[in-house]
Amino acid sequence: MLKNPFIKNSVTNQYQTLINQINALENNLKTLTDTDLRNKTFQLKNQYQEKRNLDSLIAEAFAITREASFRTLGLRHFDVQLIGGLVLNSGKISEMRTGEGKTLVATLPAYLNALTNKGVHVVTVNDYLASRDQISMGQIYRFLGLDTGLIQEDMSFLERQQNYRADITYVTNNEVAFDYLRDNMASNLNQVVLPPFNYCIVDEVDSIFIDEAQVPLIISQAVETCIDKYIVAAEVAEYLEVNVHFKVDEKNRNIILTEQGTAQIEKILQVEDLYNLNDPWIPYILSAIKATALFFKNVHYIVQNNQIVIVDEFTGRIMPDRRWNEGLHQAVEAKEGVPIRQNTETAASITYQNFFLLYPKLSGMTGT
């Protein structure tokens, strides 16, 4: 199919006026001393406080960032990188191939939006990239009088709070999302680390917004667990037969007890009613049967270091940090004879998709 030649440079045409304005400022900025260039930041901040309009500052802010980058890193943004920065500032996704300098492109909208004094978050997929980018690109921001923050997995509460207060903070998607969940569990503002959200640039946006978009991020807390009942239920399940005492709904991964099964279990346990609200046995029994009839060793889980470790059915990878809920994990532990850990309940939960929508202004970068 032939491509429409008039559409090819539509993005370029859309931003060409701004690119021309940015380039026109270059020679003038080159004559400034380092101090004079740094003072431009304070001038732009004052202009924003007066007009509350970032659009009027785009050309000058981008030109200043480019000049600071050349002086500190020896890297000058090309016009195509200016386009990438303009796309990001528009709250869109900028696709750049490997080697086209995504990290450098992000400095343009990051500096511009930091002029509001409301903070900017640059989100990467791991601690190494966050640290690398903060160290390298931070030279540009510090040269221009802005401070940068970095969030790492092993940081304390006070360290996190201090780094989030920076003009531009580099952080992983995992850390910032879980900090948000913990903040929502706080009982007072002194226990909160995140400031109000302003602008976010997400690197590897396809991975976070598509591949992991619906993955729930969960903070759990321990609840009282009746370990003895899980052990007894696992023993009872060994005396039950499929299609006699229970039926299996494999599609929904559910177990349905028959009348004969209910009577048999009540007889074994010597109780009158499995569903007795004061001493319920039914959740333990159903979990025990599920563990036996629906979840199999070396298929759905493995036993590693005397613990049950879930295996991802789609990738085959083990997931040591995840546990089944509603007592199923404890039932599998009882079935395999490993130590039964405390049950948990969800204290806070959110998906990446819902979390990042909390930012008033959001953009992303991708290499694919």
Side-chain angles (χ1 to χ4, degrees):
M1 181 182 292
L2 293 175
K3 294 183 178 179
N4 188 333
F6 300 103
I7 297 178
K8 183 178 180 181
N9 295 317
S10 59
V11 174
T12 305
N13 295 334
Q14 181 181 350
Y15 297 117
Q16 192 60 55
T17 301
L18 275 171
I19 293 171
N20 292 339
Q21 292 174 5
I22 295 167
N23 288 331
L25 294 169
E26 186 170 17
N27 289 334
N28 204 21
L29 291 175
K30 284 187 179 298
T31 64
L32 299 179
T33 65
D34 289 353
T35 301
D36 289 338
L37 188 63
R38 185 177 298 110
N39 286 336
K40 285 286 186 179
T41 296
F42 304 107
Q43 294 174 19
L44 291 180
K45 282 188 173 184
N46 289 333
Q47 288 181 42
Y48 174 77
Q49 293 302 323
E50 292 173 4
K51 299 179 180 179
R52 294 288 171 176
N53 180 16
L54 273 182
D55 291 345
S56 61
L57 307 179
I58 292 175
E60 192 170 3
F62 274 42
I64 291 169
T65 306
R66 178 162 69 177
E67 180 61 26
S69 174
F70 184 73
R71 295 189 188 189
T72 55
L73 304 177
L75 300 174
R76 176 187 176 277
H77 297 78
F78 294 105
D79 285 3
V80 68
Q81 291 175 311
L82 296 179
I83 294 173
L86 292 170
V87 169
L88 291 176
N89 186 60
S90 300
K92 300 174 183 176
I93 294 175
S94 180
E95 180 182 352
M96 289 164 277
R97 295 177 183 174
T98 303
E100 289 188 348
K102 287 187 298 178
T103 307
L104 188 64
V105 168
T107 60
L108 298 164
Y111 172 75
L112 171 65
N113 285 271
L115 297 173
T116 63
N117 290 326
K118 297 177 182 178
V120 173
H121 293 165
V122 182
V123 175
T124 61
V125 293
N126 59 54
D127 278 353
Y128 166 75
L129 291 176
S131 176
R132 182 201 69 181
D133 294 351
Q134 188 262 349
I135 292 171
S136 59
M137 299 300 114
Q139 296 177 66
I140 299 173
Y141 306 128
R142 287 188 290 273
F143 180 85
L144 291 172
L146 300 179
D147 59 338
T148 61
L150 172 66
I151 303 296
Q152 298 278 269
E153 184 179 2
D154 56 354
M155 281 186 171
S156 66
F157 170 83
L158 291 177
E159 288 174 323
R160 289 172 182 270
Q161 198 172 53
Q162 182 179 359
N163 279 277
Y164 277 126
R165 288 174 180 169
D167 294 307
I168 299 164
T169 303
Y170 285 82
V171 60
T172 66
N173 50 294
N174 190 65
E175 290 299 321
V176 69
F178 274 106
D179 279 335
Y180 170 78
L181 290 179
R182 283 187 284 267
D183 280 357
N184 274 271
M185 296 170 61
S187 56
N188 61 69
L189 289 176
N190 294 329
Q191 298 173 338
V192 172
V193 298
L194 281 164
F197 290 150
N198 176 42
Y199 176 51
C200 180
I201 303 171
V202 181
D203 195 8
E204 304 296 345
V205 69
D206 52 322
S207 172
I208 298 172
F209 285 3
I210 299 176
D211 299 342
E212 301 180 47
Q214 293 298 323
V215 175
L217 306 174
I218 299 171
I219 291 182
S220 302
Q221 56 189 16
V223 295
E224 185 178 351
T225 304
C226 190
I227 293 175
D228 291 342
K229 282 193 172 183
Y230 284 110
I231 296 173
V232 172
E235 294 174 352
V236 170
E238 295 179 1
Y239 293 95
L240 305 178
E241 296 181 24
V242 65
N243 294 327
V244 176
H245 299 109
F246 64 89
K247 294 182 179 180
V248 178
D249 180 358
E250 293 186 5
K251 182 179 179 180
N252 297 310
R253 286 195 171 174
N254 199 14
I255 296 296
I256 304 168
L257 285 180
T258 64
E259 290 186 10
Q260 185 178 346
T262 301
Q264 176 72 1
I265 296 167
E266 289 174 345
K267 181 178 179 181
I268 294 173
L269 294 175
Q270 296 182 349
V271 297
E272 293 184 1
D273 185 5
L274 292 178
Y275 300 86
N276 187 339
L277 294 178
N278 297 321
D279 186 24
W281 273 97
I282 191 63
Y284 302 94
I285 295 297
L286 291 178
S287 293
I289 299 173
K290 284 181 184 179
T292 302
L294 291 170
F295 292 84
F296 304 103
K297 184 178 179 181
N298 297 329
V299 176
H300 300 100
Y301 64 90
I302 61 172
V303 179
Q304 187 179 76
N305 298 326
N306 222 20
Q307 293 184 351
I308 301 299
V309 181
I310 298 174
V311 174
D312 189 302
E313 294 182 50
F314 301 103
T315 65
R317 296 174 181 172
I318 62 173
M319 300 185 291
D321 297 328
R322 296 193 183 178
R323 290 174 63 81
W324 289 303
N325 57 11
E326 297 181 348
L328 177 60
H329 210 95
Q330 286 75 16
V332 175
E333 288 171 333
K335 166 190 166 184
E336 296 294 342
V338 301
I340 299 175
R341 294 156 65 186
Q342 290 290 311
N343 206 345
T344 59
E345 65 179 9
T346 299
S349 176
I350 198 169
T351 62
Y352 282 129
Q353 187 178 65
N354 290 333
F355 168 72
F356 281 106
L357 288 175
L358 296 171
Y359 284 89
K361 188 174 181 180
L362 177 66
S363 61
M365 305 182 292
T366 178
T368 54

